[in-house]
Amino acid sequence: MKCQRCERPATFHITDLVDGEPNELHLCEECAQTYLTPTEEEAAEVMPAMAGLLAQHLAVGESADDLKRLDQRACPVCGITFLEFRKQGRLGCPHDYTFFAEELEPLLMNIHDDTQHIGKSPKCGAAGADQQTQIIRLRREMKEAVATESYERASELRDEIRALEEQFRKDNG
Amino acid sequence: MNLDDLVSTNGEWLRGSGPEADIVISSRIRLARNLADFPFISKTTESDRAEIERILHSQIQAIQEAGKAPGDALYLNVTDLAEVDRQFLVERQLISREHAESDGARSVVIDTDERYSVMINEEDHLRIQVMHSGLDLEAALQRINMLDDLIEEQVNYAFSDKLGYLTACPTNVGTGLRVSVMLHLPALVITRQIEKVFKSLQKINLAVRGLYGEGSQATGDFYQISNQVTLGQTEEGLAKKVADVVPVLISYERQAREFLIHESQETLHDRVSRAFGILRTAQTISSEETLHLLSSVRMGINLGLIGDLPIPTINKLLIHTQPAHLQKLSGNELDAADRNIERATYLRQHLNVDGTSDPSNN
């Protein structure tokens, strides 16, 4: 049997359902591939990449100036700027959800159609989130102190971190 | 037990016996969790990652040693593994591609029966995943909750009352839960209804992915259906949404198979038999062609067009004919051309088991 679209032999036999009616097609491998492969547009529709989705949603409703100002804001705990987040689609620390709350809200609404968690929660509760955030910040400051050879400051920070960690263990123990 | 012992075994999720196992290969659930007192991975230093790895690894080990988690566990330091071993774990779906390819301290704890695996320092500090054969989301959810609770007793997860479990990517925040069901839908592909199905799934906010998750192409008619939303619904509600839609897809697939049997049985039988013939006689074959042909054969078995070949054998071949598996099985590093020869040999050996000798040797 010859391919219905060219002169080569038909090796693919495709049954298409058109409005519930079977429609048989006999194609060679190459024509079958063209026929069966979704166009780029279709493929993009089928598998929306999360990152692409994110970038789209973020651009909604922001003027260029707004976006520029917003992009420069940096989280005091981990140091990530909103621009960095927009580029990589990943946040830097748990505190970002608080620090960028306003910016993230429309994004969350777009992705999840909701902004309030109603699922499972840790049995010990979410107590001490501020303390833990503080530990992340102090560790970063300590690292910076070491980098600038401010060893005295670094050792103070280390003691502070240890005290917090100790207290945290007691609170949760 | 070490990684090499996994090579010859077959994961629990491939045993092909759960509910609806002719169409549903497996049910998987994963949870994303982060420690509250460390930055997310992108803002960690090398020493942070080593510390996170140490903390989580020792806590999970303690749970194992106390006999609280089921079965035996295998701990693997992914950073130190050879590339072929990392690829092997990806093919086996025990770690993600991202976990295999990223940098810094990272590891995985694997149940030796492959019912769960826990990745440390993937996109989030912790990724717990549970896999079951067939359509079995309720049991999978129960098991993953148990594992999550056990770990949570030992560490402090990043959590807020408003947004739930805090994750590196806002697409996972809230429950951190991704429920996914892997389906074999060859008849919907042949009858070209699959696109319509995908579009309707998207409308109800469910994602469709290929065999190997995010960004992978659907190969050999295998598709993963999963939830997009993770916030604002309960874990049970999210699992139910997927669990409710899967029977509909199964019935579409069955109708399409029925249609093919009635309307073009010769064509279908021919397709299946040719696929089987090629797999049993080929001397060199690519992994892509193998997947496509195994897909036809798998459907042929389910429709009674090929007798005496168990579905678990096909499930196993789907995984064992992939590049890293072939190299681990043969014990040699093989280039693409040699792999194609090795793959064909492996297929001939496993598909000519009915007493007749390998027809290609005659």
Side-chain angles (χ1 to χ4, degrees), chain A residues 4-25:
Chain A
Q4 290 172 326
R5 299 200 171 170
C6 70
E7 294 298 303
R8 281 181 289 244
T11 48
F12 276 68
H13 309 280
I14 298 159
T15 310
D16 222 345
L17 277 185
V18 183
D19 301 323
E21 293 297 312
N23 176 31
E24 290 219 351
L25 271 170

Side-chain angles (χ1 to χ4, degrees), chain A residues 43-62 82 85-90 103-113, chain B residues 169-173 178 201-209 214 226-230:
Chain A
E45 222 176 307
V46 172
M47 312 235 176
M50 283 289 173
L53 210 71
L54 217 62
Q56 270 172 29
H57 290 157
L58 280 165
V60 174
E62 304 284 354
F82 201 70
F85 164 65
R86 285 209 305 132
K87 280 188 175 162
Q88 65 189 31
R90 306 279 185 276
E103 294 84 357
L104 288 173
E105 181 144 334
L107 174 67
L108 292 172
M109 203 55 204
N110 250 315
I111 303 170
H112 303 288
D113 208 17
Chain B
C169 183
T171 53
N172 296 316
V173 79
R178 188 81 64 214
L201 286 174
Q202 270 182 287
K203 277 188 195 132
I204 55 169
N205 268 322
L206 293 177
V208 183
R209 300 199 175 90
E214 216 162 307
S226 59
N227 61 304
Q228 303 250 36
V229 167
T230 56

Side-chain angles (χ1 to χ4, degrees), chain A residues 45 91-92 97 117 120 139, chain B residues 37 40 148 162 167-168 202:
Chain A
E45 222 176 307
L91 293 162
Y97 282 101
H117 177 62
K120 187 177 177 175
R139 278 209 205 98
Chain B
D37 51 354
F40 295 142
D148 183 43
K162 179 167 167 57
T167 52
Q202 270 182 287

Side-chain angles (χ1 to χ4, degrees), chain A residues 13-17 20 22 24 35-36 38 42 45-48 50 53-54 78-80 84-85 88-94 97 104-105 107-108 111-112 114-124 126 129 132-133 135-136 139 143 168 172, chain B residues 33 36-40 42-43 45 48 98 123 145 148-149 152 156 158-159 161-171 173-175 178 190-193 195 198-199 202 208-210 214 216 228-235 259 264 267 271:
Chain A
H13 309 280
I14 298 159
T15 310
D16 222 345
L17 277 185
E24 290 219 351
Y35 182 70
L36 292 173
E42 280 173 328
E45 222 176 307
V46 172
M47 312 235 176
M50 283 289 173
L53 210 71
L54 217 62
C78 70
I80 195 173
E84 268 179 82
F85 164 65
Q88 65 189 31
R90 306 279 185 276
L91 293 162
C93 76
Y97 282 101
L104 288 173
E105 181 144 334
L107 174 67
L108 292 172
I111 303 170
H112 303 288
D114 214 311
T115 56
Q116 177 63 52
H117 177 62
I118 58 164
K120 187 177 177 175
S121 56
K123 289 195 181 64
C124 63
Q132 287 161 328
T133 299
I135 293 177
I136 300 176
R139 278 209 205 98
K143 203 172 63 193
F168 199 71
N172 286 277
Chain B
R33 298 286 188 255
D37 51 354
F38 283 91
F40 295 142
S42 69
K43 280 287 171 189
T45 59
D48 285 337
E98 177 164 347
E123 180 185 303
N145 261 325
D148 183 43
D149 291 347
E152 186 206 279
N156 286 292
F159 181 88
D161 287 330
K162 179 167 167 57
L163 293 176
Y165 293 92
L166 303 175
T167 52
C169 183
T171 53
V173 79
T175 55
R178 188 81 64 214
I190 296 173
T191 57
R192 302 201 75 219
Q193 300 175 86
E195 298 288 314
F198 288 169
K199 284 192 180 125
Q202 270 182 287
V208 183
R209 300 199 175 90
E214 216 162 307
S216 74
Q228 303 250 36
V229 167
T230 56
L231 178 66
Q233 295 183 46
T234 62
E235 287 78 3
F259 170 84
S264 51
T267 318
R271 182 194 188 104

Side-chain angles (χ1 to χ4, degrees), chain A residues 94 122-129 131-133 135-136 139 164-173, chain B residues 33-40 52 55-56 59 125-126 148-160 165-166:
Chain A
K123 289 195 181 64
C124 63
Q131 277 176 6
Q132 287 161 328
T133 299
I135 293 177
I136 300 176
R139 278 209 205 98
L164 264 176
E165 283 175 339
E166 188 56 32
Q167 189 193 344
F168 199 71
R169 256 192 296 277
K170 269 189 218 152
D171 291 352
N172 286 277
Chain B
R33 298 286 188 255
N34 289 279
L35 296 179
D37 51 354
F38 283 91
F40 295 142
I52 295 165
I55 294 170
L56 287 172
Q59 296 299 353
H125 298 160
L126 202 62
D148 183 43
D149 291 347
L150 285 170
I151 299 171
E152 186 206 279
E153 281 172 17
Q154 312 295 325
V155 300
N156 286 292
Y157 285 151
F159 181 88
S160 94
Y165 293 92
L166 303 175

